[in-house]
């Protein structure tokens, strides 16, 4: 079967049976190609990297650095701009604790938005506690987009960093990153983008986007957990001090002084996530074969279909813009999202079960803005199809009957 067959789930062992997985925004299921690559890396091909002089270690080192090259090409960057991290959360914390502590001081300001994931809020709050920088919050438009007109009015030369999500993990709204970069740069600020939800859905080109930092995780990209990426412009990386200390990130160590390896190696202390990086590269190869243009079109179609079906009900409140990408958040009147999620996971009369996310989605400030404590969230992947939507709608009907 070709990996370009978007509507079939056969390549995903985790989707066997009459199970409808609509929680891809939390983590994506893995295609067999990624599972095979990970198993081979952990078994048949396994050795450490950057250390051994024996052949298998050398081969694994080549494969590991090839994964860095594959990742760079995937996002339109260069391999010496790619730092492997444990995920997007660590990538953002790295920027906060290395670049932030070096460049920010009391009197400086950071601009976030209402819809940010906690991973793009808390690291900056921790930094603010240590440095005295102030945090401003950009509002949203009426339909749930980051209001860049408001951002333009808010930004001043005191702002040194703007940190925004490319695609909201709750609303599916898409940021005009290139415009956000222009606005940030006009006042001398850097732009960091949380790309977790965008990377599996949108073709990326770091040069065209012109942001300064871009962070994403492999596990939302059909790859393994435990690995992610910080991309940053090379001159910025070169000027950043190490965050973690240990092996592999050094040039020379003495008790009097230690000198460090060049970027990106200086940010990869210790034995790296070898197996996971190779699994991520396999996921990128798989997704490249499918084609991100087709992936985006597929998820936009499913999102539009589900929003249309839900908007026809008078007991559902929809959140976010009509053209949200891959993610639909909603509330069913009189039913807590956790109850809805629990009932959907119970086997229906046709034997089907549906998995959605229910909760605040690590975006509690956004929940406060929406006036709810939680939402139900259905999110799509390349393996999603109309049958998943049908099963969800049947499950909502069953839930409505239970709650009268």
């Amino acid at each position: 079967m070709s990996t370009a067959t978007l509507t079939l789930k056969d390549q995903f062992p985790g989707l066997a049976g009459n199970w409808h997985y609509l929680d891809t925004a939390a983590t994506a299921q893995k295609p067999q190609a990624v599972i095979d690559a990970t198993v081979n890396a952990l078994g048949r091909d396994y050795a450490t990297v950057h250390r051994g002089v024996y052949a298998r270690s050398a081969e694994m080192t080549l494969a590991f650095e090839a994964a860095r090259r594959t990742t760079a090409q995937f996002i339109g960057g260069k391999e010496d701009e790619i730092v492997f991290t444990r995920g997007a959360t660590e990538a953002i914390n790295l920027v906060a604790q290395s670049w932030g502590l070096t460049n920010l001081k009391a009197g400086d300001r950071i601009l976030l938005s209402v819809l940010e994931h906690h991973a793009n809020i808390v690291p900056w709050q921790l930094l603010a506690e240590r440095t005295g920088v102030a945090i401003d919050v950009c509002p949203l438009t009426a339909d749930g987009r980051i209001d860049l007109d408001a951002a333009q009015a808010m930004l001043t030369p005191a702002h040194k960093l703007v940190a925004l999500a490319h695609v909201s993990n709750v609303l599916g709204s898409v940021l005009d990153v290139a415009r956000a970069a222009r606005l940030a740069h006009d006042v001398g600020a850097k732009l960091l983008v949380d790309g977790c939800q965008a990377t599996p859905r949108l073709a990326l080109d770091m040069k065209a986007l012109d942001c300064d930092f871009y962070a994403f995780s492999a596990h939302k990209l059909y790859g393994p957990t435990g690995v992610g990426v910080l991309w940053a412009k090379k001159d910025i990386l070169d000027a950043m001090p190490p965050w973690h200390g240990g092996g592999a990130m050094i040039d020379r160590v003495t008790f009097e002084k230690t000198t460090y390896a060049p970027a990106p190696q200086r940010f990869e202390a210790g034995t790296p996530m070898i197996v996971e990086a190779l699994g991520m590269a396999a996921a990128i190869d798989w997704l490249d074969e499918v084609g991100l243009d087709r992936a985006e079109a597929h998820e936009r179609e499913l999102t539009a279909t589900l929003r249309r079906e839900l908007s026809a009900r008078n007991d559902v409140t929809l959140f976010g813009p009509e053209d949200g990408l891959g993610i639909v958040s909603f509330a069913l009147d009189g039913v807590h999202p956790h109850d809805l999620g629990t009932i959907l996971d119970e086997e229906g009369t046709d034997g089907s079960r549906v998995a959605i996310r229910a909760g605040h989605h690590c975006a509690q400030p956004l929940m406060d803005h929406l006036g709810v404590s939680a939402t139900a969230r259905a999110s799509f992947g390349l393996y999603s199809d109309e049958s998943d939507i049908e099963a969800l709608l049947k499950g909502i009907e069953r839930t409505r009957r239970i709650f009268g």
Side-chain angles (χ1 to χ4, degrees):
M1 178 191 306
S2 168
T3 56
T5 304
L6 299 183
T7 56
L8 299 180
K9 304 180 181 180
D10 302 50
Q11 295 177 64
F12 292 84
L15 297 176
N18 200 4
W19 191 54
H20 298 274
Y21 185 70
L22 290 171
D23 197 21
T24 300
T27 194
Q29 295 291 320
K30 318 306 173 191
Q32 190 64 51
V34 171
I35 296 169
D36 291 343
T38 304
V39 169
N40 289 338
L42 189 59
R44 182 194 68 193
D45 303 330
Y46 186 74
T48 193
V49 298
H50 300 148
R51 291 166 173 80
V53 297
Y54 48 92
R56 188 184 288 187
S57 176
E59 291 166 359
M60 186 61 94
T61 299
L62 289 174
F64 182 77
E65 292 304 326
R68 193 188 307 274
R69 187 162 54 252
T70 295
T71 304
Q73 292 169 348
F74 180 65
I75 63 170
K78 299 176 181 178
E79 57 188 288
D80 59 0
E81 299 169 331
I82 298 293
V83 179
F84 287 137
T85 65
R86 290 181 295 171
T89 297
E90 183 173 86
I92 295 171
N93 277 274
L94 191 165
V95 176
Q97 298 302 316
S98 175
W99 181 88
L101 282 178
T102 303
N103 291 279
L104 301 183
K105 61 186 184 305
D108 292 336
R109 308 190 76 85
I110 296 172
L111 181 67
L112 308 178
S113 85
V114 171
L115 59 68
E116 299 308 312
H117 189 283
H118 295 165
N120 200 27
I121 299 175
V122 179
W124 309 117
Q125 292 176 328
L126 293 173
L127 180 66
E129 291 172 1
R130 297 183 64 179
T131 64
V133 302
I135 295 174
D136 297 314
V137 182
C138 180
L140 306 182
T141 61
D143 62 351
R145 308 172 199 272
I146 297 173
D147 190 339
L148 290 181
D149 290 338
Q152 184 173 12
M154 295 174 69
L155 285 168
T156 71
H159 287 91
K160 304 304 180 186
L161 180 73
V162 178
L164 304 173
H166 196 165
V167 175
S168 167
N169 73 309
V170 177
L171 305 176
S173 45
V174 181
L175 175 71
D176 182 346
V177 174
R179 184 186 175 199
R182 290 194 299 272
L183 296 179
H185 295 160
D186 282 347
V187 297
K190 306 296 186 191
L191 175 65
L192 178 142
V193 178
D194 170 2
C196 284
Q197 300 299 336
T199 311
R201 299 179 167 93
L202 295 171
L204 300 175
D205 181 344
M206 293 298 107
K207 184 176 181 180
L209 294 178
D210 198 29
C211 56
D212 301 284
F213 305 98
Y214 199 93
F216 61 93
S217 295
H219 74 98
K220 299 181 191 295
L221 189 65
Y222 306 97
T225 55
V227 64
V229 170
L230 170 67
W231 172 91
K233 291 179 176 176
K234 187 62 165 63
D235 62 327
I236 299 176
L237 271 185
D238 286 342
M240 287 167 54
W243 178 34
H244 292 154
M249 50 75 71
I250 56 89
D251 171 40
R252 174 86 171 107
V253 176
T254 70
F255 281 111
E256 292 71 35
K257 181 179 177 60
T258 293
T259 55
Y260 304 110
Q265 284 74 26
R266 77 164 63 118
F267 303 109
E268 297 178 3
T271 301
M273 54 294 289
I274 303 168
V275 172
E276 292 80 3
L278 269 60
M280 177 168 63
I284 289 171
D285 287 340
W286 179 85
L287 192 50
D288 270 338
E289 185 180 343
V290 172
L292 275 165
D293 54 342
R294 299 185 66 184
E296 179 184 353
H298 180 65
E299 293 196 33
R300 285 196 183 280
E301 181 180 356
L302 291 174
T303 304
T305 298
L306 179 56
R307 289 190 68 91
R308 184 173 61 251
E309 293 288 345
L310 292 177
S311 65
R313 300 182 61 102
N314 59 14
D315 59 351
V316 167
T317 301
L318 280 166
F319 303 101
E322 289 297 321
D323 62 349
L325 178 55
I327 295 167
V328 179
S329 281
F330 63 97
L332 183 62
D333 292 353
V335 181
H336 193 281
H338 289 162
D339 292 327
L340 175 60
T342 299
I343 294 171
L344 289 172
D345 192 43
E346 296 173 353
E347 191 170 294
T349 55
D350 59 356
S352 66
R353 302 170 71 150
V354 180
I356 64 166
R357 179 76 181 271
H360 55 66
H361 318 296
C362 296
Q364 288 178 315
L366 177 56
M367 296 297 109
D368 293 340
H369 170 78
L370 297 175
V372 297
S373 62
T375 73
R377 183 186 71 186
S379 53
F380 300 109
L382 282 163
Y383 36 67
S384 305
D385 56 30
E386 295 278 352
S387 71
D388 299 314
I389 294 177
E390 293 171 7
L392 173 61
L393 295 174
K394 288 180 181 177
I396 290 173
E397 277 297 322
R398 187 168 74 252
T399 303
R400 174 51 65 211
R401 289 195 297 272
I402 292 172
F403 278 83

